[in-house]
Amino acid sequence: MIILGIETSCDETAVALVSDKPTDMLDVGQGNSSCILAHRVFTQLEEHEAFGGVVPEVAARAHLQLLGPLLKQTLKDAQLTLADIDGVAVTCGPGLIGGVMVGVMMGKSIAAVHNKPFLAINHLAGHGLVPRLSDELSFPYLLLLVSGGHSQIVVVKSALDFEVLGSTQDDAVGECFDKCAKMMGLPYPGGPNVEKAALKGDKKRFQLPRPLKGRTKDGMACQFSFSGLKSAVRREIEKLGDGFSPQDACDLSASLQLAVSDTLCDRLKNALKQCEDRSQKLTALVVSGGVAANAFLRNNIKVLAHEFELPFVAPPLNLCTDNGVMIAWAGVEKMQHGSVDGLDFKPRPRWPLNELSLKKL
Ligand code: KG4
Ligand code: ZN
């Protein structure tokens, strides 16, 4: 089975062709990703750099211009035509609706013209399932999903059954990194540049809060909150005023990264204990989403996994940030469940993970 994947929900235009069985066509560099026949990602850096963040209308227009040529190139890379594919998997939400609609219209057109099944993919399910492509991983596993728009702890029970244990009350962790980076004057995109600056910084210099750390009662054990941390970073920058130097930015980045890591690990520990308490056997602790590209966070979560005697799984960096492979792979898994969607499927700007549809072939 070969599935075409299309991703346009934020600022990455991405297309991929993924098979349900391993082939030796393309090695993405790390992990066992030999099901990937071809994949292309265009990151809209120049388009949004001047604004210091993603502008939805600019992103949608760029997706419209880029998607056709990218699709053509990806098919050429794999030496396939649209007649060779067995289904079209498209991000139908959650995300910036203008961009999502561009991908959905393209996907539906291909499905209609070539008479192929249409697979409406939840972007978060894509992030959550791609570790099963890059690594040997069976259900159920505990997933920390950390991206620009989401921070969630989820028990993944099957490709269509996600139990959300906790999510953010305000900002997502990636959003916190991006906004703090902008305040510190670091280049766009924020997250990777905070990581880079932190390498040259003193993580103990600034005492930043660990939001909700230690809170285990009132249903708060697995929740996140990052807006207070962002405000604390702003106050430190204001205190330093005009004297805010490049070294201050490095020290503050390192301190911010440590505060985020402590917070994520505290919440994850509660989730792992919760699973133990209800005798939920887990196969692994998994981290995915754009922020999972951060090596400092990955290392600390790996230590936690070992504490709980669980294998630690994280996809290779290029499968952590938005890509078409994860959407195509979620399509493969959905097809394997015998679940497809109609061409009347409406794109959803908001689409919680516990509302995945199951429509049988
Ligand atoms: O999953 P993703 O590519 O897009 C969304 O679905 O949101 O995640 C993008 C987020 C951005 O906030 C970006 O700053 C963050 O992931 N990010 C990082 C790193 N690489 C990307 N954050 C921290 N460290 C990184 N190395
Ligand atoms: Zn994403």
Side-chain angles (χ1 to χ4, degrees):
M1 181 205 304
I2 295 172
I3 301 293
L4 168 69
I6 296 176
E7 161 59 39
T8 55
S9 68
C10 193
D11 58 341
E12 264 93 15
T13 316
V15 180
L17 289 154
V18 170
S19 161
D20 61 332
K21 292 193 190 68
T23 69
D24 53 8
M25 279 198 62
L26 186 78
D27 182 0
V28 288
Q30 296 159 63
N32 169 28
S33 303
S34 55
C35 295
I36 303 168
L37 305 176
H39 77 129
R40 292 222 167 215
V41 182
F42 184 92
T43 303
Q44 303 169 9
L45 276 180
E46 280 173 19
E47 285 79 353
H48 305 289
E49 203 169 15
F51 305 99
V54 180
V55 183
E57 290 77 10
V58 174
R61 199 175 291 262
H63 286 306
L64 199 58
Q65 284 167 352
L66 293 161
L67 188 55
L70 212 61
L71 171 65
K72 224 171 174 174
Q73 195 56 54
T74 311
L75 285 163
K76 198 170 161 202
D77 292 345
Q79 297 174 356
L80 294 172
T81 69
L82 289 172
D84 300 318
I85 63 169
D86 299 291
V88 190
V90 185
T91 298
C92 288
L96 302 174
I97 195 63
V100 171
M101 280 165 66
V102 172
V104 169
M105 291 318 292
M106 172 69 93
K108 284 183 177 174
S109 309
I110 295 168
V113 171
H114 294 271
N115 198 22
K116 305 287 181 187
F118 177 75
L119 302 148
I121 303 300
N122 179 299
H123 179 84
L124 304 175
H127 277 304
L129 293 172
V130 77
R132 280 169 48 78
L133 169 70
S134 58
D135 291 81
E136 289 280 321
L137 178 63
S138 46
F139 300 116
Y141 49 91
L142 190 72
L143 168 73
L144 173 69
L145 203 169
V146 274
S147 71
H150 300 270
S151 310
Q152 301 193 346
I153 300 179
V154 184
V155 180
V156 186
K157 298 175 179 171
S158 85
L160 294 168
D161 188 1
F162 290 69
E163 182 192 359
V164 180
L165 298 184
S167 52
T168 184
Q169 318 252 301
D170 39 57
D171 293 356
V173 58
E175 193 180 352
C176 173
F177 273 135
D178 292 340
K179 288 182 177 161
C180 291
K182 197 172 172 182
M183 290 190 276
M184 287 187 270
L186 294 175
Y188 174 83
N193 281 302
V194 167
E195 181 174 22
K196 214 160 130 193
L199 290 174
K200 292 176 275 172
D202 172 6
K203 61 179 184 289
K204 301 225 170 88
R205 180 171 159 204
F206 295 96
Q207 304 307 309
L208 298 174
R210 273 67 172 153
L212 298 177
K213 190 171 173 199
R215 285 276 294 276
T216 53
K217 300 217 163 57
D218 310 321
M220 297 302 283
C222 303
Q223 303 295 328
F224 296 106
S225 165
F226 290 104
S227 70
L229 182 54
K230 186 183 63 187
S231 306
V233 167
R234 174 178 290 123
R235 281 195 294 277
E236 295 295 348
I237 296 169
E238 282 168 1
K239 266 193 241 164
L240 289 161
D242 290 344
F244 190 79
S245 69
Q247 187 55 50
D248 293 333
C250 293
D251 294 343
L252 195 49
S253 292
S255 304
L256 170 64
Q257 213 176 234
L258 179 63
V260 166
S261 171
D262 282 355
T263 306
L264 294 178
C265 287
D266 176 68
R267 313 280 83 198
L268 268 178
K269 206 179 238 179
N270 291 342
L272 289 162
K273 281 188 195 147
Q274 240 175 52
C275 291
E276 272 181 359
D277 289 348
R278 62 187 197 192
S279 303
Q280 167 106 62
K281 270 255 165 248
L282 297 168
T283 61
L285 175 56
V286 180
V287 59
S288 185
V291 179
N294 185 294
F296 183 78
L297 295 178
R298 281 165 96 103
N299 285 338
N300 290 339
I301 295 166
K302 192 175 184 175
V303 171
L304 183 68
H306 289 164
E307 251 176 59
F308 280 78
E309 295 176 356
L310 284 172
F312 170 75
V313 172
L317 301 191
N318 62 342
L319 297 184
C320 280
T321 47
D322 287 352
N323 62 86
V325 172
M326 67 185 199
I327 303 306
W329 178 252
V332 168
E333 296 228 26
K334 201 166 177 177
M335 282 282 272
Q336 284 169 344
H337 270 265
S339 173
V340 294
D341 299 282
L343 291 180
D344 57 349
F345 190 98
K346 286 193 183 63
R348 296 183 60 172
R350 289 182 184 279
W351 186 2
L353 263 177
N354 51 13
E355 289 177 19
L356 299 188
S357 63
L358 178 61
K359 211 188 241 180
K360 288 282 179 190
L361 272 168

